[in-house]
PDB file of all heavy atoms in Angstrom:
ATOM      1  N   ASP A  97      53.997  98.528  74.080  1.00 97.00           N
ATOM      2  CA  ASP A  97      54.577  99.770  74.227  1.00 97.00           C
ATOM      3  C   ASP A  97      56.074  99.771  74.481  1.00 97.00           C
ATOM      4  O   ASP A  97      56.484  99.593  75.637  1.00 97.00           O
ATOM      5  CB  ASP A  97      53.855 100.595  75.398  1.00 97.00           C
ATOM      6  CG  ASP A  97      54.169 102.054  75.392  1.00 97.00           C
ATOM      7  OD1 ASP A  97      55.331 102.467  74.983  1.00 97.00           O
ATOM      8  OD2 ASP A  97      53.389 102.887  75.938  1.00 97.00           O
ATOM      9  N   LEU A 100      57.565 102.469  76.831  1.00 97.00           N
ATOM     10  CA  LEU A 100      57.226 102.303  78.336  1.00 97.00           C
ATOM     11  C   LEU A 100      58.019 101.075  78.861  1.00 97.00           C
ATOM     12  O   LEU A 100      58.517 101.124  80.023  1.00 97.00           O
ATOM     13  CB  LEU A 100      55.761 102.058  78.490  1.00 97.00           C
ATOM     14  CG  LEU A 100      55.304 102.076  79.931  1.00 97.00           C
ATOM     15  CD1 LEU A 100      55.389 103.439  80.595  1.00 97.00           C
ATOM     16  CD2 LEU A 100      53.798 101.652  80.054  1.00 97.00           C
ATOM     17  N   ILE A 103      61.412 102.335  79.679  1.00 98.00           N
ATOM     18  CA  ILE A 103      61.455 103.173  80.879  1.00 98.00           C
ATOM     19  C   ILE A 103      61.402 102.174  82.067  1.00 98.00           C
ATOM     20  O   ILE A 103      62.113 102.389  83.076  1.00 98.00           O
ATOM     21  CB  ILE A 103      60.144 104.045  80.909  1.00 98.00           C
ATOM     22  CG1 ILE A 103      60.380 105.155  79.916  1.00 98.00           C
ATOM     23  CG2 ILE A 103      59.940 104.618  82.357  1.00 98.00           C
ATOM     24  CD1 ILE A 103      59.037 105.991  79.686  1.00 98.00           C
ATOM     25  N   VAL A 397      46.211 102.022  77.675  1.00 98.00           N
ATOM     26  CA  VAL A 397      47.337 102.809  77.102  1.00 98.00           C
ATOM     27  C   VAL A 397      47.618 103.893  78.066  1.00 98.00           C
ATOM     28  O   VAL A 397      46.697 104.618  78.575  1.00 98.00           O
ATOM     29  CB  VAL A 397      46.881 103.373  75.680  1.00 98.00           C
ATOM     30  CG1 VAL A 397      48.083 104.252  75.178  1.00 98.00           C
ATOM     31  CG2 VAL A 397      46.506 102.282  74.826  1.00 98.00           C
ATOM     32  N   THR A 398      48.896 104.110  78.266  1.00 98.00           N
ATOM     33  CA  THR A 398      49.229 105.270  79.188  1.00 98.00           C
ATOM     34  C   THR A 398      50.358 106.135  78.607  1.00 98.00           C
ATOM     35  O   THR A 398      51.084 105.720  77.610  1.00 98.00           O
ATOM     36  CB  THR A 398      49.766 104.707  80.521  1.00 98.00           C
ATOM     37  OG1 THR A 398      51.088 104.050  80.331  1.00 98.00           O
ATOM     38  CG2 THR A 398      48.825 103.777  81.187  1.00 98.00           C
ATOM     39  N   THR A 399      50.651 107.230  79.257  1.00 98.00           N
ATOM     40  CA  THR A 399      51.874 108.020  78.961  1.00 98.00           C
ATOM     41  C   THR A 399      53.022 107.458  79.632  1.00 98.00           C
ATOM     42  O   THR A 399      52.909 106.399  80.337  1.00 98.00           O
ATOM     43  CB  THR A 399      51.659 109.484  79.421  1.00 98.00           C
ATOM     44  OG1 THR A 399      51.592 109.427  80.912  1.00 98.00           O
ATOM     45  CG2 THR A 399      50.359 110.082  78.913  1.00 98.00           C
ATOM     46  N   GLU A 400      54.232 108.050  79.498  1.00 98.00           N
ATOM     47  CA  GLU A 400      55.427 107.603  80.153  1.00 98.00           C
ATOM     48  C   GLU A 400      55.299 107.690  81.700  1.00 98.00           C
ATOM     49  O   GLU A 400      56.017 107.020  82.476  1.00 98.00           O
ATOM     50  CB  GLU A 400      56.551 108.472  79.686  1.00 98.00           C
ATOM     51  CG  GLU A 400      56.981 108.312  78.280  1.00 98.00           C
ATOM     52  CD  GLU A 400      58.065 109.155  77.767  1.00 98.00           C
ATOM     53  OE1 GLU A 400      58.931 109.426  78.586  1.00 98.00           O
ATOM     54  OE2 GLU A 400      58.040 109.672  76.608  1.00 98.00           O
ATOM     55  N   THR A 401      54.372 108.648  82.142  1.00 98.00           N
ATOM     56  CA  THR A 401      54.224 108.797  83.560  1.00 98.00           C
ATOM     57  C   THR A 401      52.928 108.167  83.998  1.00 98.00           C
ATOM     58  O   THR A 401      52.419 108.464  85.101  1.00 98.00           O
ATOM     59  CB  THR A 401      54.252 110.264  83.901  1.00 98.00           C
ATOM     60  OG1 THR A 401      53.267 111.000  83.053  1.00 98.00           O
ATOM     61  CG2 THR A 401      55.562 110.943  83.808  1.00 98.00           C
ATOM     62  N   MET A 402      52.320 107.196  83.270  1.00 98.00           N
ATOM     63  CA  MET A 402      51.287 106.335  83.612  1.00 98.00           C
ATOM     64  C   MET A 402      49.920 107.027  83.661  1.00 98.00           C
ATOM     65  O   MET A 402      49.050 106.448  84.250  1.00 98.00           O
ATOM     66  CB  MET A 402      51.610 105.589  85.007  1.00 98.00           C
ATOM     67  CG  MET A 402      53.006 104.870  84.928  1.00 98.00           C
ATOM     68  SD  MET A 402      53.219 103.827  83.468  1.00 98.00           S
ATOM     69  CE  MET A 402      51.916 102.535  83.698  1.00 98.00           C
ATOM     70  N   GLN A 403      49.742 108.214  83.080  1.00 98.00           N
ATOM     71  CA  GLN A 403      48.449 108.785  82.868  1.00 98.00           C
ATOM     72  C   GLN A 403      47.644 107.949  81.854  1.00 98.00           C
ATOM     73  O   GLN A 403      48.213 107.580  80.794  1.00 98.00           O
ATOM     74  CB  GLN A 403      48.534 110.246  82.458  1.00 98.00           C
ATOM     75  CG  GLN A 403      48.880 111.201  83.582  1.00 98.00           C
ATOM     76  CD  GLN A 403      48.785 112.657  83.139  1.00 98.00           C
ATOM     77  OE1 GLN A 403      49.727 113.009  82.420  1.00 98.00           O
ATOM     78  NE2 GLN A 403      47.771 113.335  83.548  1.00 98.00           N
ATOM     79  N   VAL A 404      46.364 107.756  82.123  1.00 98.00           N
ATOM     80  CA  VAL A 404      45.583 106.959  81.208  1.00 98.00           C
ATOM     81  C   VAL A 404      45.265 107.846  79.870  1.00 98.00           C
ATOM     82  O   VAL A 404      45.024 109.065  80.028  1.00 98.00           O
ATOM     83  CB  VAL A 404      44.249 106.600  81.875  1.00 98.00           C
ATOM     84  CG1 VAL A 404      43.308 105.921  80.827  1.00 98.00           C
ATOM     85  CG2 VAL A 404      44.554 105.660  82.967  1.00 98.00           C
ATOM     86  N   VAL A 405      45.431 107.183  78.760  1.00 98.00           N
ATOM     87  CA  VAL A 405      45.133 107.794  77.476  1.00 98.00           C
ATOM     88  C   VAL A 405      43.791 107.361  77.004  1.00 98.00           C
ATOM     89  O   VAL A 405      43.499 106.121  77.061  1.00 98.00           O
ATOM     90  CB  VAL A 405      46.282 107.526  76.493  1.00 98.00           C
ATOM     91  CG1 VAL A 405      45.917 108.105  75.061  1.00 98.00           C
ATOM     92  CG2 VAL A 405      47.591 108.108  76.980  1.00 98.00           C
ATOM     93  N   GLN A 410      44.183 111.279  73.734  1.00 97.00           N
ATOM     94  CA  GLN A 410      44.358 112.340  74.696  1.00 97.00           C
ATOM     95  C   GLN A 410      44.475 111.813  76.028  1.00 97.00           C
ATOM     96  O   GLN A 410      43.808 110.885  76.481  1.00 97.00           O
ATOM     97  CB  GLN A 410      43.194 113.291  74.590  1.00 97.00           C
ATOM     98  CG  GLN A 410      43.109 113.956  73.189  1.00 97.00           C
ATOM     99  CD  GLN A 410      44.299 114.790  72.743  1.00 97.00           C
ATOM    100  OE1 GLN A 410      44.736 115.585  73.487  1.00 97.00           O
ATOM    101  NE2 GLN A 410      44.718 114.563  71.490  1.00 97.00           N
ATOM    102  N   VAL A 411      45.284 112.543  76.939  1.00 98.00           N
ATOM    103  CA  VAL A 411      45.332 112.195  78.323  1.00 98.00           C
ATOM    104  C   VAL A 411      43.974 112.428  78.990  1.00 98.00           C
ATOM    105  O   VAL A 411      43.247 113.363  78.739  1.00 98.00           O
ATOM    106  CB  VAL A 411      46.377 113.026  79.018  1.00 98.00           C
ATOM    107  CG1 VAL A 411      46.225 112.982  80.596  1.00 98.00           C
ATOM    108  CG2 VAL A 411      47.777 112.540  78.629  1.00 98.00           C
ATOM    109  N   PHE A 416      45.451 107.840  86.462  1.00 98.00           N
ATOM    110  CA  PHE A 416      46.659 107.066  86.253  1.00 98.00           C
ATOM    111  C   PHE A 416      46.238 105.536  86.333  1.00 98.00           C
ATOM    112  O   PHE A 416      45.297 105.235  86.898  1.00 98.00           O
ATOM    113  CB  PHE A 416      47.741 107.360  87.230  1.00 98.00           C
ATOM    114  CG  PHE A 416      48.116 108.792  87.227  1.00 98.00           C
ATOM    115  CD1 PHE A 416      47.353 109.750  87.816  1.00 98.00           C
ATOM    116  CD2 PHE A 416      49.384 109.186  86.661  1.00 98.00           C
ATOM    117  CE1 PHE A 416      47.839 111.102  87.845  1.00 98.00           C
ATOM    118  CE2 PHE A 416      49.821 110.491  86.695  1.00 98.00           C
ATOM    119  CZ  PHE A 416      48.986 111.502  87.316  1.00 98.00           C
ATOM    120  N   VAL A 445      56.735 105.270  89.440  1.00 98.00           N
ATOM    121  CA  VAL A 445      56.627 106.413  88.494  1.00 98.00           C
ATOM    122  C   VAL A 445      55.281 107.147  88.619  1.00 98.00           C
ATOM    123  O   VAL A 445      55.229 108.381  88.617  1.00 98.00           O
ATOM    124  CB  VAL A 445      56.852 105.872  87.148  1.00 98.00           C
ATOM    125  CG1 VAL A 445      56.533 106.899  86.013  1.00 98.00           C
ATOM    126  CG2 VAL A 445      58.286 105.296  86.900  1.00 98.00           C
ATOM    127  N   ASN A 455      53.962 115.476  84.628  1.00 91.00           N
ATOM    128  CA  ASN A 455      53.456 114.488  83.705  1.00 91.00           C
ATOM    129  C   ASN A 455      53.975 114.630  82.320  1.00 91.00           C
ATOM    130  O   ASN A 455      54.447 115.708  81.857  1.00 91.00           O
ATOM    131  CB  ASN A 455      51.899 114.519  83.780  1.00 91.00           C
ATOM    132  CG  ASN A 455      51.360 114.260  85.144  1.00 91.00           C
ATOM    133  OD1 ASN A 455      51.728 113.246  85.748  1.00 91.00           O
ATOM    134  ND2 ASN A 455      50.469 115.054  85.624  1.00 91.00           N
ATOM    135  N   SER A 456      53.784 113.561  81.480  1.00 93.00           N
ATOM    136  CA  SER A 456      54.224 113.578  80.106  1.00 93.00           C
ATOM    137  C   SER A 456      53.108 113.592  79.146  1.00 93.00           C
ATOM    138  O   SER A 456      51.931 113.191  79.562  1.00 93.00           O
ATOM    139  CB  SER A 456      55.232 112.462  79.850  1.00 93.00           C
ATOM    140  OG  SER A 456      54.499 111.234  80.161  1.00 93.00           O
ATOM    141  N   LEU A 457      53.271 113.864  77.908  1.00 94.00           N
ATOM    142  CA  LEU A 457      52.350 113.828  76.800  1.00 94.00           C
ATOM    143  C   LEU A 457      52.169 112.403  76.310  1.00 94.00           C
ATOM    144  O   LEU A 457      53.142 111.613  76.361  1.00 94.00           O
ATOM    145  CB  LEU A 457      52.625 114.868  75.749  1.00 94.00           C
ATOM    146  CG  LEU A 457      52.569 116.294  76.184  1.00 94.00           C
ATOM    147  CD1 LEU A 457      53.100 117.146  75.041  1.00 94.00           C
ATOM    148  CD2 LEU A 457      51.270 116.761  76.591  1.00 94.00           C
ATOM    149  N   PRO A 458      51.119 112.051  75.676  1.00 94.00           N
ATOM    150  CA  PRO A 458      50.987 110.808  75.018  1.00 94.00           C
ATOM    151  C   PRO A 458      52.020 110.630  73.905  1.00 94.00           C
ATOM    152  O   PRO A 458      52.375 111.544  73.276  1.00 94.00           O
ATOM    153  CB  PRO A 458      49.589 110.803  74.409  1.00 94.00           C
ATOM    154  CG  PRO A 458      48.764 111.761  75.299  1.00 94.00           C
ATOM    155  CD  PRO A 458      49.769 112.950  75.578  1.00 94.00           C
ATOM    156  N   HIS A 459      52.441 109.359  73.818  1.00 95.00           N
ATOM    157  CA  HIS A 459      53.484 109.072  72.766  1.00 95.00           C
ATOM    158  C   HIS A 459      52.911 108.031  71.836  1.00 95.00           C
ATOM    159  O   HIS A 459      53.656 107.409  71.038  1.00 95.00           O
ATOM    160  CB  HIS A 459      54.771 108.531  73.477  1.00 95.00           C
ATOM    161  CG  HIS A 459      54.624 107.356  74.263  1.00 95.00           C
ATOM    162  ND1 HIS A 459      54.278 107.456  75.671  1.00 95.00           N
ATOM    163  CD2 HIS A 459      54.753 105.999  74.060  1.00 95.00           C
ATOM    164  CE1 HIS A 459      54.180 106.320  76.179  1.00 95.00           C
ATOM    165  NE2 HIS A 459      54.487 105.361  75.243  1.00 95.00           N
ATOM    166  N   THR A 460      51.605 107.588  71.971  1.00 93.00           N
ATOM    167  CA  THR A 460      51.000 106.582  71.112  1.00 93.00           C
ATOM    168  C   THR A 460      49.978 107.249  70.195  1.00 93.00           C
ATOM    169  O   THR A 460      49.486 108.413  70.469  1.00 93.00           O
ATOM    170  CB  THR A 460      50.305 105.525  71.968  1.00 93.00           C
ATOM    171  OG1 THR A 460      49.517 106.140  72.922  1.00 93.00           O
ATOM    172  CG2 THR A 460      51.401 104.712  72.767  1.00 93.00           C
TER     173      THR A 460
END
Side-chain angles (χ1 to χ4, degrees):
D97 191 334
L100 192 64
I103 289 171
V397 176
T398 67
T399 67
E400 296 175 33
T401 50
M402 307 310 293
Q403 283 186 286
V404 175
V405 175
Q410 301 298 312
V411 164
F416 300 77
V445 171
N455 297 311
S456 57
L457 296 173
H459 57 276
T460 53

